[in-house]
Amino acid sequence: MVPLVLLLLVAAAVGFTAWAVDSRRNAYGVLLLPGIAVAAAVLLWLVLMAAGLASEPGVHYLSWLLPMAVSIPAAWVGAWLTGRRRVQRDTERLTALLG
C-alpha cells in the first residue's frame, strides 16, 4: 500500500509541476493536470497488478516505476491539448463578443 501512496503523491506532484510551468494555465483549473496524471498512473498500476508484475522477483520495481514515468507525459499531453483548445475557444468567444 505504501508504493501506491507514493505513486499517487509523485503523480500529483508531476501534475502540479506541469500546471505551474504551463504558460496557458489560466485557461483551466489547477486540479486538472494532477487529476490526469494520477488517473493515468493508477490505471497503469492496476493493469500491472492484474498482470502480476508485482509478484515477479526481478522486476517488481516496475510496478511502481512505470506508472510514475507515465504520469509525466500524461500531464504534459493534457496541458497541451486542453490549454490549446481552451485558449483558442476563449479567443473566438472574445472576438465574437467584441465584434
Side-chain angles (χ1 to χ4, degrees):
M1 192 54 95
V2 173
L4 178 61
V5 171
L6 292 175
L7 168 73
L8 293 175
L9 289 174
V10 168
V14 164
F16 282 120
T17 303
W19 177 84
V21 173
D22 189 18
S23 62
R24 296 178 289 225
R25 66 178 171 253
N26 297 333
Y28 50 86
V30 68
L31 293 178
L32 180 67
L33 297 183
I36 290 172
V38 167
V42 168
L43 285 174
L44 182 59
W45 183 80
L46 287 172
V47 167
L48 293 175
M49 290 297 118
L53 188 65
S55 62
E56 296 292 326
V59 291
H60 71 281
Y61 65 91
L62 290 176
S63 65
W64 55 267
L65 183 66
L66 287 177
M68 285 183 200
V70 164
S71 68
I72 297 168
W76 286 108
V77 167
W80 181 68
L81 288 175
T82 306
R84 185 173 54 111
R85 287 180 184 166
R86 288 193 180 177
V87 166
Q88 181 181 9
R89 189 178 61 206
D90 289 347
T91 304
E92 289 172 358
R93 285 183 180 173
L94 184 62
T95 304
L97 193 87
L98 294 175

